[in-house]
Amino acid sequence: MQVPWRAAPRAALSSPLTLLVSLVTALLLGFVVAAAVMHSAASGSAAVDHQQGRLCAEALHPSVETDTDLREVARAITAFTDLAQGHPTLIGTYTRERRTDFGGATTLAKFGYREGATDHLKVLEGGARDGLWVPKSIADTVGVRVGGRGLGGRLPPVTAIYEDVRDPLPAWWCSERHFVVPNALDRDELATAVVWVPDFESFTALPEEVGGRTDITIRFPTAQPRTVDEARALLAEGTARVAPFEGLGRVVSHLALPVRNAEQTAVNVRSAILGLVLISVLIGLAGVATVAVQWAQRRHRELRLLWVRGSGPAALGGRAVLELGLPLVVGGVAGLGAARLLLPVYAPSDVLPPGTATGAALAVLAVVVLALAVTAVTAALRAHRSFQAATRGHRVRRVLTALPWELVTAGFAVWAWGRVRNSGLATTDSVGALPRVDAAALAFPLLVVLTAALLATRLARWALAASHRVSLWSRPTAQLAIRRLAAAAGPVTGVLLVGVLAVGTIAVGTAIADSQRTALEDKSGMFTGANSVAQVHADLTEVPEPLRGSATVVGFVKVQDRTALVVDPRTFRDGAFPAPFGLDPALLAEPLRVGDAPRREVTLRGLPPLDPSAHVPSFPKLGTSGWVVPVDLVENRREIGSWYVWSSRPLGELTGALAAAGVPYRNVTEKAKAVQGLPFLTIQWTFGFVTAIGVVLAAVASIALLMAVEVRRRQNAVSGAFSTRMGLRPAALLRSHLLELGALAAAAVAIGLTASAVSSGFTVPRLDPAPRLTPVPEVPDPVPLLVVTVLGGVLVVLVAAWIAVRSVRTAKIGELIRG
């Protein structure tokens, strides 16, 4: 058997379009598999980053808290330093509140030392570092001045007045919150900020009157982990490092659950996208096979000559690999590079753990090898069918075409729908753990789209087979468009299949990802009631001047399972979360029953008997059960359980305005950290990648359409040239091609969007990671996506029609007739 090696590379250059299509197809294949590996790994990194935003960075490394007598502090810290075995530590020491005078009236104060503390405070007066730094709250209470000395001169001199540390705390202070932020509401005058001493020796030398029991914190500063591997290593190393401290104090470790959640997130995303990636790879390999078939058609005469000279099917398949192999390899490498370069665009994080690039490269290598194998096998089978078994024709293809694949996918869709209804998101028993994400449930909307695509393809094939019965010669543009579609039934149905998949996948991905993003925003707002919240005294009836127009005072009553809000109708909408409000402001002037609250008179402490007739389905903070009472009906504000300031401003602006006005507050909350968002983000990241795959499929469909037009260049040129010679105007010819290609694109867009709308409409309300919170996720507005999809389809159709018409206008009829 003769193997034609030497002529292959030079011969490949004679078909640049085939080489280009091979390269692009391999690029998309390589991108899909590499992006899948990188996206799932990046999801774990994004989960780590998200949870760090909810935790205190300084408390990620396991730490130790204990207490001892002031006179034993030096010995205890020496022992702790020895146990740390040279690892950097940041130790804080804090006395308990004691009566202290700073040269005048006495007040409660506590003293502390933490290396570097004065570097992270805002000085209001003075600033020398060789004396006491007194918080403004204490200075204002008893009139402390710089230069004063307390306890008859036994305390170091006061050298600075600093602004009290308040929520939200900077990262350096967050681990010490319990010790440095006064508990202003629960303990009133017993709450105090810290008076900082200049050095550790001064701290241990404090008089006994202000000493006694002393709290000690041992933190281990470390770089923040950025990947799951780094977080896991930090947890393991930190746990081992604090093990010797067990029994000497309380070990604090916040990282164990976030590490498990991050690992589970990566697994969830990987399992959810695996099916779609496999489908995309199969479509890509089908595209490679199509390119190989077209290569065999272009090389038919040469292949026949080689066959006559003794080359068998395997050798001819090897010839296809020699010509198309280099573009496939280059395309795969380019796809790997594109996946890495575009990582910030499609993935939730651009931080990849070590080994991810190697895994992606191996995945790309695997699909490139598969593509080469498909090319060889397809070309060999084509040669075998053409030269050895021509009479048996297309039996296998006919069998594969006749099989009802859409029934199979529909059966899978019904099974997946059962998983959506029963266990799409199963809540775990562990507090703070992620709900279990069922990959089969997440596949339901994609299976619906795939079923619609397969069904549309079969109906289109039947319609094109029967199109010879259609006679519309009174409208020649339509008749010619139909005949061209029928003449290329194979490419047309292939483009329709991939087009429906592309449009439907993009629509499903954007709908579910956007619904999860909006659901997290709305549920967080409904849970907290406002963008930022701070608990205040019952005596506060009006918000400070800087907050007017953006805040309101709200009372909260809870008796067993019954809850009520006390609102100020004049200001409530200024500060409350706005998402659920198409609410008539006039309704707030009377009591309201919310959701499924009992339809009978109830009595709650501090409120008048409630049996309102006005009803709203949901309300901030109350959710779908409770009562809303205007503040004018409250006789004694102190009988209300708790009072809060709700604000639409960021938390820092709220607490800053309250502190500047001298309003004591505590128990601050902000919407961004109120609800565990990782379950929502897991689904959002999964379907964000689905959208990216849809974009890749859209590129495949566009290339397939343009390629189908280019491959039919000679047929289009011949038919178009004869049509124009027989009187068809150039404008009519353009309209005919626009009608042909536009019908194909319109069908893909309409079927894809319809299938995605139906599947998303059923799926979105059930993909609710926090069903106890309102509102239920809703499908977002489809108009923006519809506009973008239509514009993209129009652009592709115009380009394809221009290519087709240009082939007619530049054709030389004599050469075409001679062949």
Side-chain angles (χ1 to χ4, degrees), residues 67 242 257 452 509 654:
D67 66 279
V242 300
L257 183 59
L654 170 62

Side-chain angles (χ1 to χ4, degrees), residues 368-638:
V368 168
V369 170
L370 281 175
L372 293 173
V374 167
T375 300
V377 170
T378 302
L381 290 176
R382 184 79 179 185
H384 172 70
R385 193 161 52 237
S386 299
F387 308 131
Q388 282 185 326
T391 56
R392 285 186 291 212
H394 311 289
R395 183 180 303 169
V396 175
R397 186 174 66 184
R398 289 172 181 171
V399 171
L400 293 177
T401 302
L403 289 176
W405 297 107
E406 58 272 22
L407 296 181
V408 176
T409 58
F412 279 119
V414 171
W415 170 70
W417 171 244
R419 302 290 287 265
V420 172
R421 294 182 60 186
N422 298 325
S423 60
L425 290 170
T427 303
T428 62
D429 296 329
S430 302
V431 177
L434 293 180
R436 179 174 54 83
V437 177
D438 191 336
L442 296 185
F444 166 73
L446 301 176
L447 288 169
V448 172
V449 171
L450 179 58
T451 302
L454 292 172
L455 182 59
T457 302
R458 185 172 298 276
L459 294 177
R461 187 180 295 112
W462 289 347
L464 292 175
S467 63
H468 65 278
R469 297 187 178 91
V470 177
S471 179
L472 295 174
W473 288 112
S474 59
R475 295 182 176 84
T477 55
Q479 184 68 37
L480 291 174
I482 292 173
R483 296 316 305 149
R484 283 193 300 270
L485 288 172
V492 164
T493 53
V495 170
L496 180 62
L497 172 66
V498 181
V500 172
L501 282 176
V503 173
T505 302
I506 292 174
V508 165
T510 54
I512 296 181
D514 289 348
S515 70
Q516 292 295 309
R517 184 184 303 110
T518 304
L520 176 58
E521 176 81 6
D522 291 348
K523 287 175 181 286
S524 299
M526 289 290 284
F527 181 74
T528 58
N531 194 54
S532 56
V533 178
Q535 187 178 356
V536 294
H537 278 301
D539 298 335
L540 183 70
T541 58
E542 297 286 344
V543 297
E545 179 64 32
L547 293 176
R548 291 183 183 174
S550 62
T552 185
V553 179
V554 176
F556 184 73
V557 178
K558 184 175 180 63
V559 178
Q560 296 179 346
D561 60 342
R562 296 179 178 178
T563 55
L565 280 185
V566 179
V567 304
D568 184 348
R570 298 173 297 111
T571 63
F572 182 74
R573 291 169 62 90
D574 294 338
F577 181 68
F581 281 93
L583 180 69
D584 184 357
L587 288 176
L588 296 175
E590 58 180 323
L592 293 175
R593 186 174 61 84
V594 178
D596 58 1
R599 292 177 176 269
R600 62 177 184 273
E601 183 177 289
V602 297
T603 301
L604 299 177
R605 183 175 181 272
L607 299 177
L610 299 175
D611 188 14
S613 57
H615 173 267
V616 291
S618 63
F619 205 82
K621 191 63 178 178
L622 298 177
T624 57
S625 181
W627 292 265
V628 180
V629 182
V631 69
D632 296 340
L633 299 182
V634 175
E635 296 181 358
N636 186 350
R637 295 175 64 92
R638 292 185 177 275

Side-chain angles (χ1 to χ4, degrees), residues 223-311:
Q224 295 187 33
R226 305 187 67 195
T227 67
V228 177
D229 293 340
E230 291 178 2
R232 189 188 302 113
L234 174 61
L235 177 62
E237 293 171 4
T239 302
R241 189 168 290 123
V242 300
F245 293 86
E246 293 182 3
L248 301 178
R250 183 172 67 95
V251 173
V252 180
S253 181
H254 300 295
L255 198 56
L257 183 59
V259 168
R260 286 203 305 273
N261 286 346
E263 292 172 339
Q264 188 61 45
T265 296
V267 171
N268 287 343
V269 172
R270 185 184 306 117
S271 61
I273 66 176
L274 181 60
L276 181 61
V277 171
L278 292 177
I279 292 174
S280 302
V281 168
L282 290 176
I283 292 174
L285 293 176
V288 171
T290 302
V291 173
V293 169
Q294 291 171 348
W295 173 86
Q297 289 174 343
R298 288 178 178 272
R299 292 282 188 271
H300 182 79
R301 293 181 181 178
E302 183 181 352
L303 293 178
R304 186 173 185 83
L305 181 60
L306 292 171
W307 172 267
V308 171
R309 292 180 176 179
S311 297

